[in-house]
Amino acid sequence: DRIICMLFGTCQTFLLEWLSFLVENEKISNARHKELHFVKTRLQDAIRKKLKNDFRLDAFGSSENGFGSNKSDYDVFFRYGNDNYERSSEMQIQTIINIEQALRAARFSRVMSITTAKVPIVKFAIRVESGEIEGDISYYNELALHNTQLLKRYCSWTKDETLSKLGMFIKKWAKNCEIGDASKGSLSSYAYIILLIHFLQRLPDPLLPVLQEMGEKRTIQVDGWDVYFCDDEPMPSWSQCTLSVSELFLQFLEYFAKFDWQNQVVQIRQTNKLTKIEKGWKKLMCIEDPFDLDHNLGSGISPRMFAFIMKSFVTSREVFFTLKEREGFVRSNMAA
Ligand code: GTP
Ligand code: MG
């Protein structure tokens, strides 16, 4: 039993080491940034050969928000130089098809457009020195550029890399549990980062503020939504945090295993709780986008998937918690 306890004990240490390993080996490196820049140039060259109009490409998502790893996909927007260009859905689909042809002609691999989804995209892959980069190009969505900046601001709240480590770890955990892929009926990486921020804002001693409520509030309208958040105040609270990344991860699991999904909405834009009744939402999982307040990131979750996600939270919590308790037991035994 003592040997088993020691094995369990080392697992907790192993978890910590795995976290550091993740950050050292998977956090977006400068070399990866250079490769992404190279990919963007290749995309631009390919598209320029096909489209006559002036256009630009902008990266968003995890390559820009601080939660990216060397294995993350590369999310890119396409937009015409003239921002007032009419964006009818037919025109968006035609543009996406043109981009698809351009990428095929330029010998990108696994090029495929998906025009039936809510947001039409072209998927692609390209070989680079470190391996292969997968990505997708969607038509310009200014809100996603703003939520990328908001996540980046939260991510940079810590002077060390605690938050970025935790976010990357949670995304990896969700992918390993097969509950982290919206295209397969579960939740997107983006949704998990919203869950994480919400949880850190609601700790008894909050580790993150509510940036959309702070500072000199003013309304900044984009696509009919207010995208204001405070990005100029210093962020003091994190330095007082004595919890390790693995402890925070455990508490994250605990928080959502016990979350009142029946009545509450997960959101990061206000300190006050928000109920499903207030929103008029009836879905099993309600996770509000910070800017597009009509967008429920959990709207695609089926009852079966909901049960599966909950089971992952509960079981992971039990497993990791047992490891932690056992480690305590081993420590006191060894001390004795
Ligand atoms: P990884 O690629 O898994 O590292 O994370 P990511 O943050 O890039 O997430 P993902 O590729 O799923 O989404 C890319 C970006 O799309 C997000 O960071 C958001 O800026 C934006 N976005 C806005 N709304 C949604 C949504 O409903 N689902 C998803 N997936 N993304 C959204
Ligand atoms: Mg991505």
Side-chain angles (χ1 to χ4, degrees):
D1 192 40
R2 200 180 157 96
I3 290 172
I4 291 171
C5 286
M6 283 175 73
L7 280 176
F8 273 117
T10 43
C11 281
Q12 172 78 4
T13 320
F14 177 70
L15 175 63
L16 276 170
E17 275 173 14
W18 185 30
L19 284 170
S20 325
F21 177 80
L22 252 181
V23 174
E24 296 311 323
N25 289 281
E26 291 193 10
K27 185 153 176 64
I28 292 197
S29 58
N30 285 341
R32 177 71 167 197
H33 273 300
K34 275 189 194 140
E35 286 179 343
L36 293 176
H37 184 75
F38 164 76
V39 174
K40 195 168 158 186
T41 313
R42 284 279 314 271
L43 289 169
Q44 272 162 340
D45 292 346
I47 298 171
R48 199 167 292 121
K49 282 187 190 146
K50 172 89 186 164
L51 296 180
K52 286 167 201 73
N53 308 54
D54 185 25
F55 72 91
R56 62 176 285 180
L57 299 178
D58 284 301
F60 68 106
S62 64
S63 68
E64 310 300 308
N65 67 19
F67 295 103
S69 78
N70 279 339
K71 292 178 180 161
S72 291
D73 63 352
Y74 189 39
D75 302 298
V76 182
F77 285 133
F78 169 93
R79 70 172 127 163
Y80 286 106
N82 174 4
D83 247 352
N84 299 322
Y85 206 96
E86 194 217 331
R87 293 185 226 156
S88 70
S89 59
E90 294 77 25
M91 190 274 293
Q92 287 190 26
I93 290 175
Q94 190 50 55
T95 308
I96 288 296
I97 291 170
N98 288 343
I99 296 173
E100 178 186 17
Q101 289 168 357
L103 300 196
R104 279 188 203 282
R107 299 192 162 272
F108 277 78
S109 49
R110 288 188 269 135
V111 178
M112 188 178 68
S113 65
I114 302 174
T115 51
T116 47
K118 197 173 128 209
V119 180
I121 56 168
V122 183
K123 288 185 157 296
F124 65 85
I126 180 171
R127 277 216 82 74
V128 290
E129 216 175 290
S130 66
E132 192 180 50
I133 292 181
E134 284 182 24
D136 49 53
I137 304 184
S138 51
Y139 202 87
Y140 186 49
N141 168 359
E142 199 176 345
L143 278 179
L145 228 45
H146 286 273
N147 65 44
T148 297
Q149 291 309 312
L150 177 68
L151 264 48
K152 186 176 176 179
R153 180 66 176 142
Y154 276 118
C155 186
S156 64
W157 199 264
T158 54
K159 292 205 175 58
D160 56 16
E161 289 178 321
T162 312
L163 188 45
S164 149
K165 277 186 203 177
L166 192 54
M168 281 168 62
F169 186 69
I170 286 169
K171 290 200 299 188
K172 202 172 177 73
W173 163 79
K175 292 224 154 69
N176 283 344
C177 293
E178 299 190 348
I179 55 169
D181 187 344
S183 67
K184 293 187 180 144
S186 56
L187 292 173
S188 65
S189 295
Y190 175 60
Y192 281 99
I193 300 298
I194 301 292
L195 294 187
L196 172 61
I197 295 170
H198 168 96
F199 154 73
L200 295 171
Q201 287 172 333
R202 275 146 193 92
L203 282 167
D205 288 322
L207 287 175
L208 285 180
V210 179
L211 287 176
Q212 286 167 270
E213 279 182 344
M214 278 174 67
E216 258 184 58
K217 277 192 81 176
R218 59 195 182 279
T219 305
I220 305 171
Q221 290 267 327
V222 168
D223 290 345
W225 298 108
D226 183 8
V227 298
Y228 167 82
F229 65 89
C230 174
D231 66 353
D232 48 13
E233 304 241 343
M235 304 172 160
S237 50
W238 194 278
S239 54
Q240 291 146 24
C241 175
T242 50
L243 297 171
S244 68
V245 174
S246 62
E247 277 165 334
L248 286 168
F249 175 61
L250 267 177
Q251 290 194 16
F252 169 84
L253 295 176
E254 168 124 353
Y255 182 90
F256 286 109
K258 293 183 177 163
F259 188 78
D260 180 9
W261 291 103
Q262 207 173 350
N263 300 301
Q264 298 294 322
V265 175
V266 174
Q267 51 79 26
I268 62 170
R269 75 180 153 99
Q270 62 177 42
T271 313
N272 290 343
K273 284 185 173 179
L274 185 66
T275 62
K276 286 192 190 182
I277 293 177
E278 279 171 77
K279 293 289 299 184
W281 285 357
K282 294 194 175 80
K283 297 281 179 183
L284 285 168
M285 273 191 130
C286 292
I287 306 166
E288 188 194 54
D289 184 273
F291 298 135
D292 179 353
L293 305 187
D294 282 344
H295 185 29
N296 176 8
L297 302 174
S299 65
I301 303 297
S302 67
R304 207 181 139 93
M305 181 53 79
F306 177 67
F308 190 55
I309 294 175
M310 282 306 105
K311 194 169 168 223
S312 303
F313 272 102
V314 173
T315 313
S316 300
R317 184 192 154 274
E318 276 167 8
V319 169
F320 287 119
F321 201 76
T322 312
L323 298 182
K324 198 171 150 52
E325 278 193 331
R326 294 258 184 166
E327 186 194 28
F329 176 70
V330 170
R331 278 212 186 120
S332 53
N333 258 0
M334 299 227 277

